[in-house]
Amino acid sequence: MAQKQIALACSVCGSRNYTVAANPNRTTRLEVKKYCKHCNKHTLHRETR
């Protein structure tokens, strides 16, 4: 069985650059600073549902 994937969207431009495995035990949305190739810098990426 395949794991469910969630997308991480850039908080500046809104592009969905990354996918990560969904964790059912996580109660809050995931927020990490990652590189956005559209903004050309490290920005905050938030979990989208």
Side-chain angles (χ1 to χ4, degrees):
M1 178 168 45
Q3 289 184 345
K4 287 193 175 186
Q5 297 285 314
I6 55 170
L8 296 179
C10 176
S11 60
V12 177
C13 68
S15 66
R16 294 180 175 164
N17 302 328
Y18 296 96
T19 58
V20 293
N23 183 352
N25 297 328
R26 185 173 40 238
T27 57
T28 59
R29 288 193 177 192
L30 183 63
E31 293 183 349
V32 270
K33 284 191 98 173
K34 295 192 88 49
Y35 180 76
C36 178
K37 64 181 179 180
H38 302 286
C39 298
N40 266 350
K41 57 186 173 182
H42 284 84
T43 58
L44 186 66
H45 283 68
R46 294 190 177 115
E47 175 184 340
T48 58
R49 296 187 187 212

